Amino acid sequence: MDASYTEVVPFESSSPAWRGLKDVTFGSAAGMVSKVFEHPFDLCKVRLQSQVMDKTPRFSGPIDCLTQTWQKEGLRGLYRGLPAPIVGAMTENAFLFLAYNELQNTIRQWNNISPSTQLSLGQLMIAAAGAGSVASFLLTPIELVKCKMQVQMLAAEPASVLASRTGATISGRPAIHNLQGPFSIISSTIRQHGFRGLWLGQTGTLIRETGGGAAWFGSNEAVSSILLDRLARKTGRPRAELTKKDLKWYQLAFAGACAGVAYNLALFPADSVKSAVQTEEELRPGTRTSIGSMAMKMWRKEGVKGFYAGCGITVARAAPSNAMIFLIYDGLNTRFG
C-alpha cells in the first residue's frame, strides 16, 4: 500500500485560531452525541470489568448485566454517571482532534515538509499517539468519577446479602437520592487522597490512550486512503486532488467504525486494569492496589480472559459509536471548513 495518507484538516485551510476553534467545536459535538448512544454499553463494560476480582461474579455476561440493570435500576440506572462521560467525551474528542491536527503541523515544520505534502501513515500515527498521551491526563479524573458512579449500586449488594442472612431489614437497593453525584465523588476523593487521588489509574489510561490513539486515527486514515484510492481509479481524478471531503457519508462512517474497533481491540487489557483499580475502593473497601499489582492479580485469577471482560459488547458498540464521531466531525468540517 502506498505510504502516503490524507490528513484530517489541510494545514493552510485557515488560521491557527480558527482551526483550533473548529476542532474543539466539531470534536465536542461528535463526542457528546456518540456518548449518549453508547453509555449503557459502557456502563455494562465497566461493571463486567469490575467483577473480575469478585469471588462470585454478579453477571454471567453482557446481556445478563444489561437485563439486571434494567430490572433493578430502570432506565435511570442504564444512564447512571452519564454527565461525567459526556464531559469526558466532549473534552477527549475536542482535544484529540485539536492536538492531532496541530501535531501534524509541528511534524511538518520540524521536517521542513510543505503544507501541501501529505504525511505518511507513520507520521500520522506519531501525531495520534502524542495527542492520546496528552489527552490521558485530562481523561483520568473524568473516567474515575464515571467508573465510581457506574458501580455505586453494586457496592450495596454485599451489605444486602449480609442483611438477608442476619434477618436485618436493610434494603439491598439504596435510594437514588442517597447515591453520590460527580461533585460529591470529587470532593470525597480529594479529602481522602488529595488532588493526586483524582489521577488514580493514570498509568492505565496513558497506555490505553497512547496506543489506542495511534490505532484510532491510524485506522481511520488507512481506511479513508483506501477508499480515496478506489475513488481516484473510478473517476479518473488525480489521487492528490482528493480528500475526505470527496467521500460519501457512509464511507466516512465505515472508516470511523473501523477506527473504533481498532482502538478498543488494541489496548483493551489496559482499560480493564484501569477500571478495576478505579472501582476497587467502592467494591472492596479498605483495599487500594497499583496498576501493576492489579494486573498480576487479574492474571492469576482469570488469566487472559480476565483482561477481556466486557470486550465483546465494547467492540460491538464501538463500531456505530465511532462511525457517529467521524461522520459528525468530518461532516461538520466539510460543511463549515
Side-chain angles (χ1 to χ4, degrees):
M1 185 186 297
D2 187 84
S4 295
Y5 290 79
T6 180
E7 57 184 314
V8 173
V9 179
F11 178 81
E12 73 276 17
S13 63
S14 60
S15 69
W18 176 237
R19 278 201 316 270
L21 179 61
K22 288 193 300 181
D23 288 334
V24 169
T25 303
F26 300 165
S28 295
M32 179 176 63
V33 174
S34 67
K35 185 54 66 176
V36 172
F37 163 78
E38 71 173 31
H39 186 74
F41 305 101
D42 184 68
L43 178 139
C44 177
K45 179 206 71 170
V46 171
R47 289 187 171 187
L48 290 173
Q49 289 175 331
S50 67
Q51 72 172 9
V52 171
M53 296 304 298
D54 292 346
K55 292 182 179 179
T56 304
R58 296 173 175 85
F59 311 109
S60 60
I63 302 301
D64 182 49
C65 181
L66 289 172
T67 301
Q68 286 197 44
T69 301
W70 171 262
Q71 293 174 343
K72 296 177 181 179
E73 304 173 47
L75 181 63
R76 187 170 182 177
L78 290 173
Y79 282 91
R80 186 170 307 285
L82 179 60
I86 283 183
V87 172
M90 292 175 66
T91 302
E92 177 184 21
N93 285 281
F95 188 84
L96 277 175
F97 282 109
L98 173 63
Y100 177 52
N101 290 320
E102 293 309 313
L103 283 173
Q104 288 183 56
N105 297 336
T106 301
I107 290 174
R108 282 195 171 85
Q109 294 171 355
W110 185 266
N111 294 281
N112 294 318
I113 300 175
S114 68
S116 59
T117 302
Q118 297 173 350
L119 297 181
S120 68
L121 179 60
Q123 291 170 321
L124 291 172
M125 292 183 71
I126 290 174
S133 63
V134 178
S136 70
F137 291 92
L138 299 175
L139 287 176
T140 299
I142 296 171
E143 294 213 351
L144 177 72
V145 174
K146 178 204 74 172
C147 289
K148 286 180 177 293
M149 291 188 70
Q150 289 177 332
V151 299
Q152 281 182 328
M153 291 295 288
L154 304 184
E157 288 186 0
S160 69
V161 173
L162 179 62
S164 66
R165 289 175 180 174
T166 59
T169 56
I170 300 176
S171 173
R173 181 183 177 187
I176 289 178
H177 65 268
N178 289 332
L179 298 178
Q180 283 187 300
F183 294 108
S184 177
I185 290 176
I186 293 172
S187 177
S188 62
T189 300
I190 293 175
R191 282 198 308 270
Q192 295 177 36
H193 307 292
F195 281 97
R196 185 177 179 181
L198 294 174
W199 277 267
L200 177 66
Q202 169 60 34
T203 302
T205 310
L206 176 64
I207 295 172
R208 184 196 70 187
E209 290 300 310
T210 302
W216 196 54
F217 281 115
S219 298
N220 180 262
E221 297 288 358
V223 173
S224 296
S225 182
I226 293 173
L227 294 174
L228 288 170
D229 287 341
R230 293 183 60 186
L231 180 62
R233 290 193 298 269
K234 182 178 180 179
T235 62
R237 295 174 58 188
R239 174 62 178 82
E241 293 181 0
L242 298 175
T243 69
K244 286 184 180 179
K245 295 181 180 181
D246 296 297
L247 295 177
K248 303 292 185 181
W249 68 269
Y250 55 84
Q251 294 174 314
L252 295 173
F254 176 71
C258 292
V261 172
Y263 169 84
N264 283 282
L265 286 178
L267 279 304
F268 195 84
D271 184 66
S272 294
V273 177
K274 175 199 72 71
S275 293
V277 167
Q278 290 181 328
T279 58
E280 185 178 34
E281 197 169 29
E282 277 66 36
L283 301 179
R284 289 169 287 278
T287 59
R288 190 174 175 86
T289 309
S290 67
I291 288 288
S293 297
M294 180 60 75
M296 291 302 299
K297 287 182 179 180
M298 293 172 67
W299 171 262
R300 286 194 293 265
K301 188 174 187 302
E302 295 284 345
V304 174
K305 180 182 176 181
F307 293 109
Y308 286 91
C311 183
I313 194 169
T314 300
V315 173
R317 59 91 171 163
S321 175
N322 286 271
M324 288 183 188
I325 290 176
F326 280 98
L327 180 59
I328 293 171
Y329 177 84
D330 289 327
L332 290 173
N333 197 49
T334 299
R335 175 65 178 84
F336 299 103

